[in-house]
Amino acid sequence: MMTQAGSAPIAPRRIVIDTDPGQDDAVAILLALASPELMVEAITTVAGNVPVALTTKNACALLELAGRTDIPVFAGAARPLHRAPISAEHVHGETGMAGADLPEPTLRPQAIDAATWLVDMLRREPEGAITLVCLGPMTNLALALTHAPDIASRIAGVVAMGGAQREGGNITPTAEFNFFVDPHAARIVMHSGIPITLLPLDVTHRAIATPARLAPIAAVGTPVTNMVVRMLGAEDRFEKLKYGWEGGALHDPLTIGWLLKPELFSGRDCNVEIEVDAPLCVGQSVVDLWNVTDRVPNALWINDVDSDAFYSLLTERLALLD
């Protein structure tokens, strides 16, 4: 329990992280584990950055690194709902964790699949008790909602890295990777009625891992921070070469940053639709930022962040993990 001066203890927010680790997914998981404001109930994995066998293995290895093998891992969907699998080894390396150099984990995933577990868990828990943090394609949640629509009203909210408007796409000219991999799943979630916060490329491209921002993390000198700097500071980091930036963007950790300190972020409520049919625009997030349609807002679209303050928070929290 957290406390504030002169007030009763504050219970941590209970979250489930649905993820496809992935270097920046790894940093998001570690930030959540280091934050007493959050209680990570489980990690569910999905195919995305790399196939699901590797994303599951990476999640287990990260929990072992952080000394949190008490947190269960549930392996999820191996492919999108209606499309062939697409992965991003060209960005994250063959294992999805280039630079991490983690040993083979002994932790193993649970026997039940992620979507089935999500349904069972959400029906068992009090309404509004669980927030879902989606860091990859939304296939697991879409499967759960399709099989059990009643769980939508039981979810406190979804905080997801996905979409793009101002920045265009990072896998096609129009689409961000997570939504492109499984646009049908993203569309199901966006139409579910669950309160949704989206952190798209519009905000993540403002949080660049420059040498100046990584230096304080490197100075901590623990196994965790050393791994983070190896992954984020590599000279061949994909986005450094693609965009000519000083470093890569830190995408997924901003979801956790928003949960911890929403005052560092700004955005607006608006309607977001996901294109699933148009060949040139599959996976595009069509954002009615200026309310030019009569479509009802279905998401809080985050488009700015105090990047230096976020990196200070990240450094502070990662230093807590030995």
Side-chain angles (χ1 to χ4, degrees):
M1 291 273 187
M2 296 177 57
T3 59
Q4 293 180 345
S7 63
I10 301 173
R13 185 195 297 251
R14 300 172 64 195
I15 67 172
V16 171
I17 300 177
D18 188 58
T19 180
D20 60 338
Q23 295 155 320
D24 50 334
D25 304 72
V27 179
I29 291 168
L30 293 170
L31 177 58
L33 295 176
S35 298
E37 301 96 325
L38 303 175
M39 179 180 294
V40 180
E41 297 286 339
I43 293 178
T44 56
T45 62
V46 66
N49 287 321
V50 288
V52 72
L54 286 174
T55 65
T56 304
K57 176 182 174 181
N58 292 341
C60 291
L62 287 165
L63 289 174
E64 287 191 353
L65 174 68
R68 292 301 308 274
T69 56
D70 57 303
I71 296 174
V73 175
F74 297 89
R79 58 179 298 123
L81 296 181
H82 302 299
R83 286 161 56 81
I86 300 163
S87 56
E89 288 89 349
H90 65 290
V91 177
H92 297 275
E94 290 186 5
T95 67
M97 295 277 287
D101 302 328
L102 291 176
E104 187 77 18
T106 58
L107 182 64
R108 293 292 181 265
Q110 303 294 305
I112 188 172
D113 71 275
T116 301
W117 177 79
L118 281 171
V119 172
D120 292 345
M121 179 273 298
L122 289 166
R123 285 175 169 171
R124 181 177 66 248
E125 293 290 344
E127 187 172 315
I130 302 294
T131 297
L132 301 182
V133 182
C134 296
L135 307 181
M138 293 179 167
T139 316
N140 289 331
L141 179 53
L143 285 169
L145 289 167
T146 299
H147 287 94
D150 59 286
I151 66 172
S153 64
R154 308 191 66 79
I155 299 170
V158 169
V159 181
M161 191 276 129
Q165 187 210 34
R166 180 187 62 234
E167 291 293 302
N170 62 352
I171 186 68
T172 74
T174 60
E176 177 274 328
F177 178 81
N178 287 341
F179 284 3
F180 180 73
V181 169
D182 199 341
H184 300 88
R187 191 178 202 183
I188 288 170
V189 175
M190 296 307 301
H191 287 183
S192 67
I194 302 168
I196 297 170
T197 299
L198 290 178
L199 291 102
L201 299 184
D202 297 41
V203 65
T204 67
H205 280 186
R206 294 179 179 271
I208 306 303
T210 64
R213 288 170 176 163
L214 291 179
I217 300 176
V220 176
T222 63
V224 167
T225 57
N226 290 342
M227 182 198 74
V228 168
V229 172
R230 283 198 305 272
M231 291 193 301
L232 301 185
E235 286 303 314
D236 62 350
R237 184 106 161 113
F238 176 79
E239 288 169 329
K240 293 176 71 172
L241 302 177
K242 178 179 180 179
Y243 298 111
W245 294 340
E246 289 186 83
L250 204 55
H251 303 285
D252 295 330
L254 291 186
T255 60
I256 305 301
W258 186 85
L259 285 170
L260 297 173
K261 289 190 177 294
E263 65 271 18
L264 300 182
F265 297 80
S266 61
R268 66 174 65 197
D269 292 310
C270 56
N271 182 271
V272 180
E273 297 290 337
I274 311 301
E275 177 58 56
V276 299
D277 295 317
L280 292 178
C281 300
V282 169
Q284 181 177 7
S285 44
V286 181
V287 184
D288 187 7
L289 198 64
W290 302 109
N291 298 318
V292 298
T293 74
D294 59 0
R295 296 196 298 265
V296 176
N298 61 354
L300 173 59
W301 181 264
I302 303 297
N303 54 26
D304 205 357
V305 61
D306 183 337
S307 298
D308 289 333
F310 169 74
Y311 274 91
S312 294
L313 172 67
L314 179 65
T315 303
E316 169 199 312
R317 296 303 172 84
L318 291 179
L320 300 176
L321 296 172
D322 293 330

